[in-house]
Amino acid sequence: MPHTTLPIALDAASGDHGAAPNVEGAVQAARAGVPVLLVGPRVALHAELGKHAGSASLPLTVVDAPDVIGMDEHASDVRSRTGASINVCTRLVKEGQAAAAVSMGHSGATMASALLTLGRVKGVDRPAILTHLPSKKGFVTLLDVGANADVKPPYLAQWARLATVYLRVVEDRQDPTVGLLSIGEEDHKGSQLVLEAHALLRELDGHGIRFHGNVEGRDIFQGTTDIVVTDGFTGNVVLKLAEGEAKVLFGWVRDALGGSLQTKLGGLLVRGALRGLAERMDPSTYGASILLGVRGLAFIGHGSADARAVKNALLRASRAHEANLIARLEAALAPQGG
Amino acid sequence: MPHTTLPIALDAASGDHGAAPNVEGAVQAARAGVPVLLVGPRVALHAELGKHAGSASLPLTVVDAPDVIGMDEHASDVRSRTGASINVCTRLVKEGQAAAAVSMGHSGATMASALLTLGRVKGVDRPAILTHLPSKKGFVTLLDVGANADVKPPYLAQWARLATVYLRVVEDRQDPTVGLLSIGEEDHKGSQLVLEAHALLRELDGHGIRFHGNVEGRDIFQGTTDIVVTDGFTGNVVLKLAEGEAKVLFGWVRDALGGSLQTKLGGLLVRGALRGLAERMDPSTYGASILLGVRGLAFIGHGSADARAVKNALLRASRAHEANLIARLEAALAPQGG
């Protein structure tokens, strides 16, 4: 069965570390039954593939696309560089030759390419980047984490509907709750944007979404709601703060454990338990974020992604495709679907 | 000397836990040489004072103000309830009978009262709440953390100047760097607000502030800059997320250490080291946040403040007064001070 499914198009030389982690992650995903199109400079990709014994028998195909948009180039380059690897990926999706496009490269370029090539789901003004963070309840789903620095109230309402469908279809959460990120739980608190979005979300409650009300920064790790909607500026700050804080706090824990002979001994004893925790906080666990609202599957990962992150992104993309996510999003956003 | 200095006016029955932590914190501050006016319901405050042996000989004076604005009441009540305890505190500052007003109560009411009674420093459009978070470099100074949900670019530039003076005068950091919170380090990234504020801050660089450029969420705990300026919506989300995340992560560390006999033993050995860390993250360490830009000293603490937080807030208020902070802020913001 797996070999007959549509492959995932991976922008395979993109990201901070180039082809190596991408190809290794693709090999792992292929071993798990997910076919992958490795899009990028042919020679470099074959060289990387050669390092993995037995990769020749896996469902992996190299698609030559020597032009890779670098991390420090402009997102707008996707318009003129039509042969750029990310454009090849999104075109493969558009033409029905790939189930999804996945890139660990320039996130702005990935967004621009996906939007230009695939267009938007009807009823969606702007696509948003949806990601997951660990929480006391397992994980919390946050959007937008950076696609739209300036937003309008209806965007937040649309994203709440999209994220609700996503959690139902891809993560099997049947009745997810939506929180609107604000600076107080009270309805009358917040920015002008939040006040107007609150009214729209209140109207949607029971019609496509389950609206909990406003939530605060502290509710994110508490997991007060399944979904937290916010503008792409605040969401991006939240994501980067959450990851940065975890890194610094775990560093302090490590330092604290290295302090004296007594704590060193204790540190050895607790090391395994703490490693489990660090893994829970590791962005690689979720692999990549989905660009939600585009009419086709597109995933954006960390530039620093390792092979595990790439593999998890490919598996997630495959799951979203098999669950028929795009059609389900379109149905939910269609006038009769509200 | 200490007994001849101007006392701090404490809104002594405010906050989630009423008079007990306020009075205990005031007793501790008074023992450290800071005289305090305990403003609130006379009988209740005397009853609390009676629990502390030797408090009669300390520089503590009760000022009767039976009307305390509750945590669930409206900030606008400060207008009509002129005798409310927070209004008594800010009037004592205005009249030169107190060096500063400190409240662990309703933060909106405290802001409104301070602004109405004390007015603004010339050249400041809107006061901001300035607070500290721990960072790899010791601590980072963040503003605004909630006074202004919607802001204009010049506010951010004014706050950068105020915070620079504050760090020089109260925290003895001679040449603090300013970062503008954004969603990318590049100058051209960010919301419309950030793009415009960036240009203003760039102009001020070398004239009152040292502008580092844009910083991201991850830079906060890294301590990339001494000061991070942002709007009060984003800043409040950052503050509450940072505190909430630390609480959840340390909870996970505790749980991980309680898992097996081996990790339990290890946990006993490392407990002291971790307690030091938890203290570093504890908001009580900094006591309270200053309302910066008001023409008089006003501090706002957590509703959940304990005696240690109250004491630290009173000591910090005393230090700001002795350093002549308000006059220094006025001088820096005056046309010739730029």
Side-chain angles (χ1 to χ4, degrees), chain A residues 74 134-136 146 149-150 181-184 188 190-194 216-218 220-222 230-234 236-238 240-246 248-250 252-253 256-257 262-263 265-270 273-274 277 280-281 302, chain B residues 74 134-136 146 149-150 181-184 188 190-194 216-218 220-222 230-234 236-238 240-246 248-250 252-253 256-257 262-263 265-270 273-274 277 280-281 302:
Chain A
H74 282 277
S135 84
K136 278 178 92 168
D150 291 295
L181 190 57
S182 185
I183 60 174
H188 65 276
S191 59
Q192 197 54 42
L193 169 71
V194 163
E216 298 186 276
R218 65 169 63 95
I220 295 171
F221 272 76
Q222 286 291 332
T230 188
D231 63 273
F233 185 87
T234 311
N236 188 272
V237 168
V238 162
K240 288 174 178 166
L241 169 65
E243 290 177 1
E245 176 170 353
V248 170
L249 292 194
F250 283 124
W252 285 344
V253 170
L257 299 186
Q262 177 186 314
T263 57
L265 176 60
L268 283 176
L269 294 172
V270 303
L274 292 180
L277 264 188
R280 193 166 175 177
M281 285 306 304
H302 262 260
Chain B
H74 282 278
S135 84
K136 277 178 94 170
D150 291 295
L181 191 57
S182 186
I183 61 173
H188 64 276
S191 60
Q192 198 53 42
L193 169 71
V194 163
E216 297 186 276
R218 64 170 62 95
I220 294 171
F221 273 75
Q222 286 291 334
T230 188
D231 63 274
F233 185 88
T234 310
N236 188 271
V237 168
V238 162
K240 288 174 178 165
L241 169 65
E243 290 177 0
E245 177 170 352
V248 170
L249 293 194
F250 283 124
W252 286 344
V253 170
L257 300 187
Q262 178 187 313
T263 58
L265 176 60
L268 283 175
L269 294 172
V270 303
L274 293 179
L277 264 188
R280 192 165 176 180
M281 286 305 305
H302 262 260

Side-chain angles (χ1 to χ4, degrees), chain A residues 259-305:
Chain A
S260 71
L261 195 63
Q262 177 186 314
T263 57
K264 259 184 202 153
L265 176 60
L268 283 176
L269 294 172
V270 303
R271 194 186 280 172
L274 292 180
R275 203 180 295 130
L277 264 188
E279 194 156 304
R280 193 166 175 177
M281 285 306 304
D282 185 351
S284 309
T285 306
Y286 298 110
S289 306
I290 188 168
L291 188 54
L292 201 60
V294 161
R295 204 156 168 270
L297 292 172
F299 290 80
I300 300 175
H302 262 260
S304 63

Side-chain angles (χ1 to χ4, degrees), chain B residues 172-183:
Chain B
D172 206 27
R173 294 221 179 170
Q174 279 323 302
D175 209 6
T177 52
V178 174
L180 173 63
L181 191 57
S182 186
I183 61 173

